[in-house]
Amino acid sequence: KAGVTQTPRYLIKTRGQQVTLSCSPISGHRSVSWYQQTPGQGLQFLFEYFSETQRNKGNFPGRFSGRQFSNSRSEMNVSTLELGDSALYLCASSFVGQVSTSQYFGPGTRLLVL
Amino acid sequence: GESVGLHLPTLSVQEGDNSIINCAYSNSASDYFIWYKQESGKGPQFIIDIRSNMDKRQGQRVTVLLNKTVKHLSLQIAATQPGDSAVYFCAEMSNTGNQFYFGTGTSLTVIP
């Protein structure tokens, strides 16, 4: 079974631009969560989608948004990029089963904002 | 809100020794905990989990201990190997949904 895939793997943008990142979950997984990882803050939860609906949201500004498609693939968008948005963006998918709700992470998209 | 923190940011151990990585959490209502391993250039990888109705769970060379009284979680790695060198995160799941809170991580270095 293929793992979680994320595209692109690396991205360089300039301040003020916007960016869209893509995540394909493991087949059969309906939950996709997005995280921002920085050296100082560690992993911070952005939002979670389940069956095309945003189910949970972290404490990030409205510049960060996402969506999920009917095939469970998800995209996140960051508008009006700031230098502080430079980070590794990880998505994780889960089946959300009863016994274990462990998530499987993708390799991440490393975003550099200049 | 919840907060999850690690006691030590870095840990160096000799190959073959046992490693213990600690984690403190603040939300006594959290009922599910996970340890992840993240190697350089990769996303976090699930190692082991434990629910709040247990105080110990063992996997292959790894053991997780949960002390709910002091809200403390630890990961023990037996006979640490060079391949265990990575950053280890603990995470807790809120009892209100599928939302995880992560610690900043402990970097484990195994000395051959």
Side-chain angles (χ1 to χ4, degrees), chain A residues 57-75:
Chain A
K57 190 176 189 303
N59 296 322
F60 278 81
R63 300 186 297 108
F64 292 82
S65 63
R67 59 177 176 169
Q68 187 179 33
F69 302 95
S70 59
N71 61 358
S72 294
R73 189 177 70 85
S74 177
E75 289 181 346

Side-chain angles (χ1 to χ4, degrees), chain B residues 51-69:
Chain B
R51 289 205 173 270
S52 59
N53 60 353
M54 304 171 67
D55 53 20
K56 180 180 180 178
R57 192 167 188 213
Q58 289 185 290
Q60 187 176 15
R61 283 200 307 118
V62 295
T63 301
V64 56
L65 299 177
L66 176 62
N67 185 331
K68 294 180 286 294
T69 302

Side-chain angles (χ1 to χ4, degrees), chain A residues 1 8-9 13 25 27 29 36 41 45 53 57 67 72 89:
Chain A
K1 188 182 273 192
R9 291 294 311 278
K13 292 285 188 178
S27 178
H29 285 189
Q36 181 194 67
Q41 299 294 323
F45 173 74
T53 301
K57 190 176 189 303
R67 59 177 176 169
S72 294
Y89 290 88

Side-chain angles (χ1 to χ4, degrees), chain B residues 84-97:
Chain B
D84 295 328
S85 292
V87 175
Y88 290 82
F89 300 92
C90 66
E92 64 178 306
M93 187 182 79
S94 66
N95 58 357
T96 58

Side-chain angles (χ1 to χ4, degrees), chain B residues 22-100:
Chain B
N22 296 304
C23 177
Y25 63 96
S26 62
N27 186 359
S28 56
S30 291
D31 61 1
Y32 183 60
F33 304 87
I34 299 174
W35 278 102
Y36 285 95
K37 172 186 180 183
Q38 186 174 21
E39 297 175 273
S40 181
K42 298 182 180 179
Q45 179 185 4
F46 172 90
I47 301 174
I48 191 167
D49 59 355
I50 189 168
R51 289 205 173 270
S52 59
N53 60 353
M54 304 171 67
D55 53 20
K56 180 180 180 178
R57 192 167 188 213
Q58 289 185 290
Q60 187 176 15
R61 283 200 307 118
V62 295
T63 301
V64 56
L65 299 177
L66 176 62
N67 185 331
K68 294 180 286 294
T69 302
V70 295
K71 291 183 284 188
H72 183 268
L73 195 68
S74 69
L75 176 71
Q76 300 177 2
I77 305 174
T80 314
Q81 304 169 358
D84 295 328
S85 292
V87 175
Y88 290 82
F89 300 92
C90 66
E92 64 178 306
M93 187 182 79
S94 66
N95 58 357
T96 58
N98 191 27
Q99 181 170 342
F100 289 90

